[in-house]
Amino acid sequence: MNNKTLIQKDNDISHIIVKKYRFKLWNPFIKAIKQYQLIQPNDRICVCISGGKDSMLMAKLFSILHKYTEIPFDVEYLVMNPGYNPKNLDLIKYNLNKLEIPAKIVETNIFAVANMQTQSPCYLCAKMRRGALYRIAKDELNCNKIALGHHYDDVIETTLMNMLNAGSFQTMLPKLHSENYPGMELIRPLYLLREKDIIQFKNYCELEFLQCACKFTEQSTYTPEIVASMRKKTKELIKELMKNYSPTVDKCIFRAACNVNMDLVLGYKKHGKMHTFLDEYNGQEGE
């Protein structure tokens, strides 16, 4: 019996998630919510859906949780259309219908504005999308939290990228307060989910999601060097380290952000102020 037959027999992706993928998807989702206290009673959460595999799965997980949880909270599903071509927008709508996600699609012209720039269109696009997201979530949907689909692998890649390229040790937190929108909080409920498990689920259910839907990339001819983005290089580096150094390198990178020994760092920043080990070193006797 092939996958398609099994899915038709179950006829419910929710059942597949909580049964077949309980330990790989559902349990890590619930663990992250509890461990990092991502949802509080009476929260109103805006689940941001980009159309990719991660945000679509997150939306489905939220729909299951909202249906069965005893925690009183509300959820809004939001798709911001920055200017997707008709084919990509149709795919998003198809997946929303297939996954039974009642999302609101809001039209914007972000791609058009960003693509007019000759330098750093991706940076401008990301900045504009983030600003629009917060504005819509707070002012139009009356939400106090925004959920994004970053997963475990995004966390360790970001941590390593900061070390190798920015010379700083900082990671991607499971939640943080908005600096520009008081009372708003960003949460990452997929924080403990592995990307390989999300991909496995997608393939099992024979689902197709957006990759990159940016008009700038659609209209550009990229060399292999450009396609190999910094994040992709970091992803490959982690795989190489796991193969040649230790199979637990990925887990060690993640745990390192939870086990920072402040007694053995040269310096750190707290509330925008730099500190050095010398602040407490002088006058102390060695042990």
Side-chain angles (χ1 to χ4, degrees):
M1 185 181 296
N2 59 32
N3 289 349
K4 187 173 182 179
T5 305
L6 287 171
I7 296 170
Q8 290 176 341
K9 181 178 180 180
D10 287 336
N11 197 29
D12 188 359
I13 292 180
S14 298
H15 181 78
I16 294 172
I17 290 174
V18 298
K19 293 297 182 179
K20 180 175 179 60
Y21 286 92
R22 186 176 192 86
F23 296 104
K24 292 183 176 181
L25 300 180
W26 181 251
N27 285 359
F29 172 68
I30 297 301
K31 181 179 179 181
I33 289 174
K34 291 181 177 179
Q35 181 172 323
Y36 301 116
Q37 302 175 17
L38 302 184
I39 299 179
Q40 302 296 331
N42 303 316
D43 274 343
R44 187 171 177 83
I45 302 171
C46 175
V47 176
C48 182
I49 304 170
S50 67
K53 66 184 191 315
D54 306 322
S55 62
M56 279 288 187
L57 171 61
M58 178 180 66
K60 187 60 181 177
L61 289 167
F62 261 104
S63 71
I64 300 171
L65 177 65
H66 188 250
K67 185 176 180 179
Y68 296 105
T69 185
E70 296 180 357
I71 301 175
F73 77 94
D74 291 321
V75 60
E76 294 281 351
Y77 303 94
L78 173 65
V79 175
M80 285 199 312
N81 178 11
Y84 295 132
N85 65 40
K87 181 179 179 181
N88 286 331
L89 186 58
D90 286 344
L91 178 59
I92 291 176
K93 292 178 179 178
Y94 172 82
N95 285 325
L96 291 174
N97 181 66
K98 185 176 182 65
L99 297 175
E100 299 181 328
I101 299 170
K104 179 179 181 179
I105 300 178
V106 178
E107 306 293 333
T108 72
N109 64 341
I110 292 175
F111 278 174
V113 175
N115 292 339
M116 292 173 62
Q117 306 300 312
T118 57
Q119 294 182 340
S120 303
C122 295
Y123 171 80
L124 178 60
C125 179
K127 184 177 181 180
M128 293 176 64
R129 292 175 77 167
R130 183 62 60 91
L133 173 59
Y134 273 101
R135 176 182 55 79
I136 295 170
K138 182 178 183 180
D139 298 338
E140 297 184 22
L141 301 179
N142 195 32
C143 293
N144 67 306
K145 290 183 178 179
I146 293 174
L148 298 183
H150 298 118
H151 48 65
Y152 185 102
D153 296 84
D154 290 323
V155 176
I156 62 175
E157 290 160 14
T158 298
T159 304
L160 192 57
M161 285 169 64
N162 282 321
M163 292 177 63
L164 298 179
N165 301 291
S168 67
F169 185 87
Q170 54 184 350
T171 190
M172 182 182 285
L173 294 175
K175 63 179 181 179
L176 64 157
H177 295 289
S178 171
E179 296 181 356
N180 300 318
Y181 291 84
M184 290 293 291
E185 192 174 0
L186 186 149
I187 61 175
R188 296 183 169 105
L190 302 190
Y191 204 77
L192 301 178
L193 273 67
R194 299 307 304 260
E195 185 175 29
K196 61 181 177 60
D197 296 327
I198 298 174
I199 293 173
Q200 186 183 86
F201 160 76
K202 175 185 75 73
N203 292 338
Y204 178 83
C205 293
E206 298 181 356
L207 297 170
E208 178 186 355
F209 298 114
L210 294 189
Q211 297 293 325
C212 179
C214 174
K215 286 186 176 179
F216 183 78
T217 59
E218 287 175 356
Q219 298 168 1
S220 300
T221 301
Y222 280 106
T223 64
E225 289 77 12
I226 298 178
V227 172
S229 66
M230 193 60 66
R231 183 168 291 276
K232 183 177 180 181
K233 291 179 181 178
T234 305
K235 190 186 295 288
E236 293 301 321
L237 174 60
I238 293 173
K239 290 180 180 179
E240 195 69 19
L241 290 171
M242 291 175 63
K243 178 181 178 181
N244 297 324
Y245 182 73
S246 169
T248 61
V249 160
D250 54 344
K251 296 180 179 61
C252 287
I253 295 173
F254 187 91
R255 287 198 298 266
C258 306
N259 295 296
V260 178
N261 187 341
M262 299 303 293
D263 293 327
L264 295 175
V265 296
L266 290 172
Y268 64 95
K269 181 185 290 187
K270 182 71 173 179
H271 301 311
K273 182 180 179 181
M274 287 300 303
H275 301 268
T276 170
F277 80 103
L278 291 173
D279 294 344
E280 298 182 0
Y281 181 84
N282 294 328
Q284 293 183 350
E285 295 183 1
E287 296 183 358

